[in-house]
Amino acid sequence: NAGVTQTPKFQVLKTGQSMTLQCAQDMNHEYMSWYRQDPGMGLRLIHYSVGAGITDQGEVPNGYNVSRSTTEDFPLRLLSAAPSQTSVYFCVIRSSTGELFFGEGSRLTVL
Amino acid sequence: RKEVEQDPGPFNVPEGATVAFNCTYSNSASQSFFWYRQDCRKEPKLLMSVYSSGNEDGRFTAQLNRASQYISLLIRDSKLSDSATYLCVVNFYNQGGKLIFGQGTELSVKP
């Protein structure tokens, strides 16, 4: 996972709380994205960004907010957590040659 | 219809068996394709890229059928260590370059 820093690894929230998952890279790649993974559902795209100042929605964007003010950082915000957002979250970065780099994952539980 | 679909399995096979997975995609303009392996919901690891001409890496063979819009992964002489979830990944270049993962196919190789 060299070059990708995803935090936190584990988090427990109460319904209605807010939090931010952080994803940072030092590889200068343009494409950054967030996925959630639930049993039997694979990785589903939440939001993605093709460069600083540009973000777009994926398959399951509701309840999540992103911004891309720098090339290095792509935080994912949960403004009001719900139990349905209990999941494992992955930050995925793509190089210009198509190589993918994954964060280690963040296990989020919303009570 | 999902943009990328896989048979979730599980596929339960004995050691030494040959097993094949398919992954269908909906967008004919998709440009690049990959197979990833995921263990115990850790971050996925690249198994192999999929090229139009087909490609082989030891016991693993990947093929692309653009006419029918699917990719396949063949594993020969299955090992216990092949037990994992196999994810196909499609790069949709005409949709901002977003990456879509299939839901994964679970393989269990038994002694």
Side-chain angles (χ1 to χ4, degrees):
Chain A
N1 300 328
V4 183
T5 303
Q6 182 181 338
T7 59
K9 284 189 177 180
F10 301 94
Q11 183 72 51
V12 179
L13 292 177
K14 293 181 180 178
T15 296
Q17 286 185 314
S18 63
M19 77 156 298
T20 299
L21 299 177
Q22 302 287 352
C23 181
Q25 57 143 333
D26 61 4
M27 302 175 286
N28 205 37
H29 294 319
E30 297 291 345
Y31 185 97
M32 298 182 75
S33 55
W34 280 102
Y35 293 78
R36 60 177 289 173
Q37 186 173 32
D38 303 291
M41 302 292 286
L43 277 76
R44 292 184 292 169
L45 181 62
I46 305 172
H47 286 284
Y48 65 105
S49 168
V50 297
I54 305 168
T55 63
D56 209 342
Q57 296 182 348
E59 303 169 85
V60 288
N62 293 337
Y64 305 95
N65 204 336
V66 293
S67 59
R68 185 89 181 272
S69 55
T70 67
T71 299
E72 291 77 21
D73 299 294
F74 191 46
L76 178 72
R77 298 183 186 85
L78 286 71
L79 298 179
S80 180
S84 60
Q85 293 177 305
T86 294
S87 188
V88 179
Y89 293 84
F90 287 101
C91 174
V92 182
I93 296 167
R94 185 181 67 210
S95 74
S96 57
T97 60
E99 185 176 4
L100 301 184
F101 300 88
F102 288 80
E104 291 184 312
S106 300
R107 289 186 179 273
L108 175 65
T109 301
V110 183
L111 302 174
Chain B
R1 182 187 170 192
K2 292 185 177 181
E3 292 179 283
V4 179
E5 291 197 78
Q6 288 181 254
D7 181 345
F11 284 61
N12 297 305
V13 303
E15 266 187 297
T18 295
V19 61
F21 310 135
N22 281 344
C23 171
T24 59
Y25 59 95
S26 62
N27 189 325
S28 60
S30 310
Q31 290 297 325
S32 54
F33 310 86
F34 309 90
W35 283 103
Y36 274 73
R37 171 191 169 129
Q38 186 178 31
D39 296 281
C40 298
R41 302 188 82 191
K42 295 182 180 178
E43 67 272 24
K45 303 287 187 187
L46 178 65
L47 182 64
M48 53 199 310
S49 302
V50 186
Y51 303 117
S52 296
S53 55
N55 47 306
E56 188 173 311
D57 182 4
R59 298 181 293 108
F60 299 84
T61 300
Q63 294 202 315
L64 166 62
N65 186 318
R66 285 194 184 272
S68 300
Q69 294 183 205
Y70 74 87
I71 63 173
S72 64
L73 177 67
L74 181 77
I75 305 175
R76 290 179 298 276
D77 189 23
S78 299
K79 312 291 185 191
L80 297 177
S81 57
D82 293 334
S83 296
T85 297
Y86 292 83
L87 302 163
C88 67
V89 183
V90 179
N91 213 340
F92 288 88
Y93 281 167
N94 68 335
Q95 295 183 43
K98 66 179 181 179
L99 294 159
I100 300 294
F101 288 74
Q103 63 265 54
T105 297
E106 184 183 346
L107 172 66
S108 179
V109 182
K110 308 291 187 183

